Amino acid sequence: MMYKIRLKNLKNIKTELKTGLFFFGLQLYLLSLCTLKKKNLGNMRNLCLMFLPLVVFAACASNYNIQGSSNVSDLDGSKLYLKILSGSELKNMDSCEIVHGKFHFAGTFDSVRIANLFMDDENMMPLVIEEGDIMIRIDNTQQSVGGTPLNDSLFKFFNKYSQLKNRSAELVHLHDQAIMDGKDMGVVNAQLNNEAMKISKEEDDLLTGFVTQNFDNVLGPGVFFMVTIGNPYPMLTPWIEYIWSKASDKFKSDAYVKEYYEKAQENQEIMNGTRDVPAAAPPVMPQQPAAAPTPNELAAPAGR
């Protein structure tokens, strides 16, 4: 997906991709120690039980390996952070430094999740923490992640959406060019409106298809988060109602998705007059660390 990096001031590097995506919370099951009656075997048994949780954790933990490169020499020495959402806060998962155009993250994780790559305090892009060799590329014209199934799928989606947004932007250029050429603007506008409607349907089909095809992994809830976090408050749009009607139980039980839909239902009942307005402040979005753009904003052409 294409995003221009502004290099005038590295402290203020901005990218078109700003998001804080939702992923599943960690739940740990704690093993209790039983009281042992036999004194002679007590120490040995307690020692084994003490190490049992570590063995269970080691068996469940997976490794992530992220290799990154950049041909932007001015970025050398910049600090990069992998951050994940914990409750309502973004917390550091890992960090490294760009040295001679290279950087590397490695560690363990308990479950597949979406993280965000930060440069200092700037959110650069989302990526999926999963097993395999994840490759990140940063240069003057693009930022991309690939090498593993879910990351390949996510950035393939981003690239397709970006192409559609570029086509939409081209319509504006064609409109302005038609004015300069003195063409019949009634005819031109009709043609451009038809093309705009066609592109809009392609965008809707792409977005809906991607979410429904990924109901049961982190990508479905993650993109649902991107779409809905830009709303002023949780609302039941036709798109959300359609997604909910098709969703799997796993998707519906996702913490963010579940809370959003419940709040949206409450707000709809208030607007319909079947529920009293709470005495507190007007309905707001579920708490998030920072507002994230919609996919339309994420996929906007570079430099806009």
Side-chain angles (χ1 to χ4, degrees), residues 25-31 53 56-57 60 110:
L26 172 64
Q27 295 181 339
L28 292 179
Y29 178 78
L30 301 178
L31 299 175
V56 172
F57 178 80
C60 296
D110 63 293

Side-chain angles (χ1 to χ4, degrees), residues 141 220 266 276 282:
T141 59
E266 292 177 8
D276 293 333

Side-chain angles (χ1 to χ4, degrees), residues 3-58:
Y3 305 97
K4 288 188 178 179
I5 302 177
R6 304 181 180 94
L7 299 177
K8 293 181 180 179
N9 187 337
L10 293 182
K11 294 297 182 179
N12 294 315
I13 289 178
K14 302 287 186 180
T15 66
E16 294 296 330
L17 189 57
K18 287 187 177 181
T19 185
L21 300 177
F22 173 81
F23 45 83
F24 301 105
L26 172 64
Q27 295 181 339
L28 292 179
Y29 178 78
L30 301 178
L31 299 175
S32 61
L33 297 179
C34 299
T35 302
L36 301 177
K37 294 182 179 180
K38 295 185 179 181
K39 294 182 179 179
N40 292 339
L41 297 178
N43 291 336
M44 183 178 295
R45 289 180 178 178
N46 278 319
L47 182 62
C48 291
L49 289 171
M50 180 178 68
F51 281 103
L52 184 56
L54 299 179
V55 174
V56 172
F57 178 80

Side-chain angles (χ1 to χ4, degrees), residues 10-294:
L10 293 182
K11 294 297 182 179
N12 294 315
I13 289 178
K14 302 287 186 180
T15 66
E16 294 296 330
L17 189 57
K18 287 187 177 181
T19 185
L21 300 177
F22 173 81
F23 45 83
F24 301 105
L26 172 64
Q27 295 181 339
L28 292 179
Y29 178 78
L30 301 178
L31 299 175
S32 61
L33 297 179
C34 299
T35 302
L36 301 177
K37 294 182 179 180
K38 295 185 179 181
K39 294 182 179 179
N40 292 339
L41 297 178
N43 291 336
M44 183 178 295
R45 289 180 178 178
N46 278 319
L47 182 62
C48 291
L49 289 171
M50 180 178 68
F51 281 103
L52 184 56
L54 299 179
V55 174
V56 172
F57 178 80
C60 296
S62 301
N63 297 317
Y64 66 87
N65 180 53
I66 303 172
Q67 297 284 349
S69 63
S70 171
N71 64 2
V72 184
S73 60
D74 289 344
L75 297 183
D76 265 12
S78 297
K79 193 78 170 180
L80 298 177
Y81 300 89
L82 279 181
K83 296 189 178 186
I84 57 175
L85 191 64
S86 179
S88 61
E89 296 181 356
L90 283 170
K91 294 188 176 180
N92 288 342
M93 178 181 181
D94 203 349
S95 64
C96 69
E97 190 173 296
I98 301 178
V99 179
H100 302 307
K102 304 291 183 182
F103 57 93
H104 179 225
F105 297 101
T108 60
F109 65 97
D110 63 293
S111 61
V112 176
R113 60 180 59 196
I114 292 179
N116 292 302
L117 178 66
F118 278 74
M119 179 178 293
D120 297 323
D121 295 327
E122 295 296 331
N123 194 345
M124 301 184 70
M125 69 181 84
L127 68 153
V128 181
I129 302 299
E130 60 181 328
E131 281 195 296
D133 294 323
I134 301 170
M135 306 298 295
I136 299 177
R137 177 68 180 170
I138 302 173
D139 60 33
N140 284 318
T141 59
Q142 68 176 352
Q143 299 177 47
S144 62
V145 181
T148 54
L150 293 181
N151 280 303
D152 287 343
S153 179
L154 179 61
F155 277 79
K156 183 178 179 181
F157 163 74
F158 282 157
N159 287 332
K160 286 183 177 179
Y161 213 108
S162 180
Q163 290 169 10
L164 291 173
K165 300 312 294 182
N166 285 332
R167 284 171 57 190
S168 292
E170 180 62 18
L171 296 182
V172 177
H173 171 72
L174 292 175
H175 177 271
D176 295 343
Q177 187 63 48
I179 294 176
M180 295 175 62
D181 294 342
K183 293 184 178 180
D184 185 336
M185 293 310 297
V187 174
V188 171
N189 286 334
Q191 295 173 338
L192 295 180
N193 285 337
N194 287 336
E195 183 64 19
M197 291 177 63
K198 179 182 177 182
I199 295 173
S200 179
K201 185 180 184 305
E202 289 182 47
E203 290 177 358
D204 182 72
D205 290 345
L206 176 64
L207 177 61
T208 302
F210 186 80
V211 173
T212 55
Q213 291 164 17
N214 291 281
F215 275 148
D216 295 331
N217 62 55
V218 296
L219 299 183
V223 172
F224 181 87
F225 173 91
M226 293 185 216
V227 174
T228 57
I229 195 64
N231 294 340
Y233 58 86
M235 60 182 69
L236 292 180
T237 65
W239 183 80
I240 290 174
E241 291 281 33
Y242 177 82
I243 291 295
W244 191 261
S245 71
K246 301 294 183 181
S248 66
D249 291 340
K250 184 173 182 178
F251 180 85
K252 291 180 178 180
S253 65
D254 174 88
Y256 174 81
V257 172
K258 183 173 183 291
E259 183 176 4
Y260 180 94
Y261 193 77
E262 289 175 351
K263 294 293 185 184
Q265 284 183 312
E266 292 177 8
N267 293 337
Q268 187 65 47
E269 290 171 0
I270 291 172
M271 288 186 285
N272 292 341
T274 57
R275 176 187 285 264
D276 293 333
V277 179
V284 294
M285 290 292 294
Q287 263 196 337
Q288 299 299 331
T294 65

